[in-house]
Amino acid sequence: MMTPTPSHTPSQTAAPLRRTRPPKRKTRITIYLDDEVLNEFRTLSERCGTGYQTLINAALRTRLAAAGIEPSLL
């Protein structure tokens, strides 16, 4: 005697979950920096293992915070 195979109705089958993108928080720009400044950030990047663009962003945030810029603007 054969066992019947279970049938799945659409309500029983889980749809794959779609990942939603996090809100966009960064914007691609073009910026000109002094070669010496960029080289220092790249050297620091190699030493600490963090990307140089991330380090530049952190330095700018630190400078804005020291200048007393409102946190809502950061």
Side-chain angles (χ1 to χ4, degrees):
M1 184 166 153
M2 295 183 76
T3 324
T5 57
S7 62
H8 294 283
T9 61
S11 62
Q12 292 174 330
T13 305
L17 296 176
R18 288 189 174 192
R19 291 186 183 190
T20 58
R21 286 187 171 181
K24 183 178 176 185
R25 295 182 47 207
K26 294 188 177 189
T27 302
R28 180 183 299 264
I29 64 166
T30 299
I31 184 171
Y32 290 94
L33 301 173
D34 293 338
D35 290 338
E36 298 82 13
V37 171
L38 187 55
N39 287 335
E40 286 297 320
F41 275 103
R42 285 182 170 158
T43 300
L44 181 59
S45 170
E46 290 175 9
R47 281 188 280 162
C48 70
T50 302
Y52 73 93
Q53 293 176 354
T54 301
L55 294 174
I56 293 170
N57 194 62
L60 291 171
R61 281 183 172 274
T62 300
R63 176 61 180 99
L64 290 173
I69 305 298
E70 289 188 40
S72 63
L73 297 177
L74 298 177

